[in-house]
Amino acid sequence: VLWNHLYKKTHDMTKLQKGKTEQLLRVDEHDFTMRPAFGGPAIPVGVDVQVESLDTISEVDMDFTMTLYLRHYWKDERLSFPSTTNKSMTFDGRLVKKIWVPDVFFVHSKRSFTHDTTTDNIMLRVFPDGHVLYSMRITVTAMCNMDFSHFPLDSQTCSLELESYAYTDEDLMLYWKNGDESLKTDEKISLSQFLIHKFHTTSRLAFYSSTGWYNRLYINFTLRRHIFFFLLQTYFPATLMVMLSWVSFWIDHRAVPARVSLGSTTVLTMSTIITGVNASMPRVSYIKAVDIYLWVSFVFVFLSVLEYAAVNYLTTVQERKERELRGKVPCPCGMPHSRTIMLDGNYSESEANSLAGYTRSHIVTDEERQEKMVVHLALSDESNTSRKKGLKSHMGLRIIQNTHVIDKYSRLIFPAFYIFFNLIYWSVFC
């Protein structure tokens, strides 16, 4: 009952006016294919935008998708109508096709559409003095030129550009209605991979050689990438692989299968990490920050493999020289005195007994024989001094230890250089 009472007191404009809406606005009396004040000065068209959501940022396609409310403000005296209450009239998208509206488009857009659920999301509000508010809900995907030289420690600045397609600045003056206040954003806007740092507006003239100068409006926003995801997925695994490659420096150099398999595993894992990161990135022609870290880490892992190759080769060369020297030592049979020389390495008992005329000072166990062998060489008093000189001139007998000296230095050099690299890397890119 209350609703019926209020309904009766409310003026119904469709009943008060004896004609159609087009007749009220005199749509049929004017040619709306031409802009307002055609032939006169440029018509001012104010614009404001409310950003509803920033949907996606694609590094591979180098674009972004944004949903926004785009509103235009202008005055068209052809749409003025008499009103005693000075109230506006609001229409949906069906009237838009019958009147003049600004032909604003998105520069560098790839895809865009006006939402149409449940009907076209278009609103037209006409005031008695001819002022018009034209609002649309649009989703647009536009290009964003991104610089990945600091990826993933980067910040990206993208712009959504608006411009009249047909009217130059002599016919249509496009401007932000309230300056920086013309751009509103939803406080709940957030992205999983980026922190939205700043929204702001700018405007300038754009020149086309064949058509002239046009007013262009910019919606600029700055995005800063969250680093924590990449620390977990890229930097930490790469660092752990480098540290794992250092384990081989503590493994006996005679354990060939263990050290070779460890080196191969770390190299292949680093290759997989590099491939995975580049698969989700555009194929740019410059080096990214993550590339520097991953490839330097790869070099450290690869050098640890080469380090063992050097250790294995040098050990083999030394053992060969020791065997050659042992074969060239003459048999000083019948010499009354003896002198003890210690040869380190793995020698069998048969090899020791093959030195005819050499007396063994004592019998060693099998375990001791694996580490060293004691051989007594009987040297005469007359040839003792000359024998020492002969051995030194041929080759100084050296102790071949189980842990090669290169491994000892590598345990310190590799971590020190990698820590130094990390200090420089993070200080430069952070």
Side-chain angles (χ1 to χ4, degrees):
V1 177
L2 179 61
W3 185 86
N4 291 332
H5 177 71
L6 293 176
Y7 179 76
K8 291 179 181 178
K9 296 181 65 175
T10 303
H11 296 286
D12 190 346
M13 295 297 296
T14 60
K15 292 182 178 180
L16 293 177
Q17 301 293 336
K18 299 295 184 180
K20 299 179 181 179
T21 301
E22 290 85 349
Q23 294 174 348
L24 176 65
L25 298 177
R26 304 192 304 276
V27 173
D28 295 334
E29 298 179 8
H30 304 282
D31 184 5
F32 284 96
T33 59
M34 295 184 294
R35 68 174 179 84
F38 182 78
I43 175 174
V45 177
V47 175
D48 69 34
V49 171
Q50 180 173 346
V51 179
E52 180 182 8
S53 65
L54 193 57
D55 302 323
T56 58
I57 306 292
S58 174
E59 290 90 354
V60 176
D61 298 326
M62 297 184 72
D63 60 24
F64 65 92
T65 301
M66 178 186 292
T67 300
L68 52 89
Y69 297 95
L70 177 62
R71 304 183 182 98
H72 309 75
Y73 303 85
W74 74 93
K75 184 177 181 180
D76 191 344
E77 294 183 353
R78 296 172 295 184
L79 296 177
S80 60
F81 61 91
S83 175
T84 57
T85 60
N86 199 31
K87 291 184 178 180
S88 62
M89 292 192 298
T90 302
F91 307 94
D92 58 19
R94 286 172 289 187
L95 185 61
V96 173
K97 298 179 181 179
K98 299 181 180 181
I99 65 172
W100 181 90
V101 293
D103 59 341
V104 174
F105 78 105
F106 297 101
V107 185
H108 302 143
S109 66
K110 297 181 178 180
R111 296 173 299 276
S112 62
F113 63 91
T114 302
H115 289 258
D116 55 2
T117 305
T118 57
T119 60
D120 291 341
N121 295 176
I122 296 176
M123 185 268 288
L124 188 70
R125 183 170 293 167
V126 182
F127 294 85
D129 59 353
H131 280 90
V132 181
L133 165 60
Y134 176 42
S135 176
M136 297 179 292
R137 182 169 177 254
I138 301 174
T139 293
V140 57
T141 300
M143 182 180 66
C144 178
N145 293 322
M146 301 182 184
D147 181 13
F148 296 108
S149 57
H150 284 68
F151 176 87
L153 307 167
D154 59 332
S155 296
Q156 302 294 341
T157 299
C158 299
S159 298
L160 184 62
E161 306 171 15
L162 297 85
E163 182 181 306
S164 173
Y165 189 82
Y167 299 101
T168 64
D169 62 334
E170 296 178 354
D171 291 320
L172 190 147
M173 184 179 67
L174 204 64
Y175 68 97
W176 290 112
K177 188 174 185 298
N178 299 311
D180 288 337
E181 299 297 324
S182 301
L183 180 61
K184 303 293 184 180
T185 59
D186 193 333
E187 296 180 355
K188 297 181 180 179
I189 295 179
S190 62
L191 294 170
S192 60
Q193 196 175 138
F194 291 92
L195 173 65
I196 302 176
H197 189 261
K198 183 181 181 183
F199 273 95
H200 66 281
T201 61
T202 55
S203 61
R204 66 188 66 173
L205 289 174
F207 177 74
Y208 298 91
S209 59
S210 56
T211 55
W213 294 90
Y214 294 81
N215 294 112
R216 182 176 295 182
L217 306 181
Y218 295 82
I219 302 173
N220 305 305
F221 55 95
T222 303
L223 305 171
R224 183 166 183 81
R225 196 183 305 272
H226 293 301
I227 186 59
F228 189 70
F229 172 81
F230 295 94
L231 287 176
L232 292 179
Q233 298 295 324
T234 303
Y235 287 96
F236 285 167
T239 303
L240 290 177
M241 285 302 104
V242 175
M243 296 174 66
L244 183 61
S245 67
W246 300 338
V247 175
S248 64
F249 303 150
W250 275 266
I251 300 177
D252 193 335
H253 67 274
R254 292 171 296 184
V256 177
R259 296 189 66 163
V260 170
S261 61
L262 181 60
S264 303
T265 301
T266 52
V267 168
L268 294 175
T269 304
M270 283 300 306
S271 301
T272 303
I273 295 175
I274 294 174
T275 303
V277 171
N278 291 328
S280 60
M281 294 295 298
R283 298 179 179 178
V284 295
S285 59
Y286 50 85
I287 298 177
K288 303 181 290 293
V290 69
D291 293 334
I292 296 175
Y293 193 90
L294 291 179
W295 280 106
V296 170
S297 299
F298 182 85
V299 169
F300 271 89
V301 171
F302 189 72
L303 287 178
S304 68
V305 178
L306 295 183
E307 185 270 348
Y308 176 62
V311 169
N312 196 320
Y313 174 76
L314 294 177
T315 302
T316 303
V317 170
Q318 288 179 340
E319 289 179 350
R320 186 189 308 119
K321 289 183 178 180
E322 292 293 344
R323 288 195 298 268
E324 291 176 356
L325 178 62
R326 187 184 58 205
K328 292 180 180 180
V329 175
C331 179
C333 302
M335 297 297 178
H337 302 286
S338 64
R339 188 66 58 89
T340 300
I341 297 180
M342 183 179 297
L343 301 176
D344 288 344
N346 295 328
Y347 301 99
S348 62
E349 186 176 1
S350 59
E351 289 177 335
N353 293 333
S354 64
L355 297 175
Y358 284 45
T359 61
R360 300 172 60 188
S361 61
H362 63 281
I363 300 175
V364 297
T365 63
D366 292 338
E367 295 181 355
E368 293 173 340
R369 186 178 295 110
Q370 291 177 1
E371 298 296 330
K372 57 188 177 180
M373 182 189 68
V374 179
V375 179
H376 288 269
L377 301 178
L379 302 175
S380 63
D381 293 337
E382 295 81 9
S383 62
N384 187 26
T385 304
S386 61
R387 181 67 61 194
K388 289 183 180 179
K389 293 181 180 179
L391 290 175
K392 289 181 180 180
S393 62
H394 181 75
M395 174 183 178
L397 295 177
R398 292 181 299 175
I399 299 176
I400 304 176
Q401 301 176 348
N402 289 335
T403 303
H404 200 277
V405 66
I406 298 180
D407 282 341
K408 288 185 176 180
Y409 285 115
S410 298
R411 295 171 188 174
L412 299 176
I413 294 176
F414 273 72
F417 273 89
Y418 195 68
I419 292 173
F420 179 70
F421 160 72
N422 273 271
L423 292 176
I424 295 178
Y425 180 87
W426 294 108
S427 62
V428 169
F429 290 104
C430 284

